[in-house]
Amino acid sequence: MKTTHIEHIAIAVKDLEDSIKYYEDVLGLKCYAIEEVADQKVKTAFFQVGQTKIELLEATSPDSTVAKFIEKRGQGIHHLAFAVEGIESALAEVKDKGVRLLDEKPRRGAEGLDIAFLHPKSTQGVLTEFCENRQNQ
Ligand code: CMX
């Protein structure tokens, strides 16, 4: 498979506005977009750092996976997203190697990307996402 770069690092936060202030006022980054992903029950805020983004995730419902994550582990790094070329074949390849897929097929994520998650129990404890930007193809 071809993994080109880390597309984003996602961080689960309790309060999006409060966390945005930290990234802007302390780290000097600029939040360029806030977007709700209704089917994932999250609100996201994005910062660009070189080729990689920081994606803050705030739960919009108590039954959101992000709310459950914070309840169990507190705020912190939630998942790592790799940009891949050919997301379907990347999924097929890792499945063949024994990785458990949370999404058998790519679906639409924030910023219009095609995304799919791999289960953290089969990825060395790190919830892993594959992303592909096919909007301009
Ligand atoms: N990173 C590492 N491990 C995680 C995890 C995470 N982000 N989230 C859950 N886990 C672990 C739990 O600690 C738990 O481990 P133990 O069994 O050892 O206690 C195990 O996975 C099961 O967790 P759970 O609390 O029972 O939660 P669920 O099984 O309901 O869900 C998961 C876990 C990963 C399948 C679910 O969070 C999921 O589907 N995630 C993918 C989608 C997602 O995260 N969407 C939000 C982001 C939106 C976006 O970026 O667009």
Side-chain angles (χ1 to χ4, degrees):
M1 63 178 281
K2 188 159 182 205
T3 308
T4 56
H5 60 282
I6 293 180
E7 209 283 333
H8 64 265
I9 298 166
I11 299 169
V13 301
K14 287 183 184 162
D15 182 315
L16 203 63
E17 290 306 321
D18 198 43
S19 295
I20 289 172
K21 276 201 196 91
Y22 166 76
Y23 283 88
E24 292 195 329
D25 298 349
V26 179
L27 296 184
L29 302 175
K30 178 86 191 118
C31 173
Y32 69 85
I34 293 181
E35 183 181 341
E36 187 163 339
V37 184
D39 71 326
Q40 294 293 298
K41 300 179 179 165
V42 292
K43 203 156 122 188
T44 60
F46 288 97
F47 303 82
Q48 190 80 45
V49 192
Q51 202 177 3
T52 301
K53 295 163 194 155
I54 300 287
E55 179 189 53
L56 303 182
L57 296 170
E58 179 195 71
T60 54
S61 153
D63 64 343
S64 155
T65 54
V66 170
K68 286 207 271 178
F69 175 89
I70 290 179
E71 201 181 296
K72 215 164 178 175
R73 300 176 170 220
Q75 299 192 107
I77 294 181
H78 182 262
H79 65 262
L80 198 53
F82 294 97
V84 297
E85 285 179 10
I87 188 166
E88 283 90 356
S89 58
L91 288 172
E93 190 175 329
V94 298
K95 189 179 179 181
D96 269 0
K97 291 180 174 164
V99 170
R100 182 171 152 201
L101 306 183
L102 287 164
D103 300 292
E104 290 284 334
K105 286 185 189 152
R107 57 188 164 81
R108 194 45 60 92
E111 300 200 301
L113 300 184
D114 291 315
I115 65 153
F117 281 92
L118 316 182
H119 199 287
K121 292 290 176 195
S122 62
T123 55
Q124 311 290 312
V126 178
L127 176 59
T128 300
E129 180 182 350
F130 286 167
C131 304
E132 187 168 29
N133 187 350
R134 294 191 276 209
Q135 291 166 106
N136 302 318
Q137 288 177 13

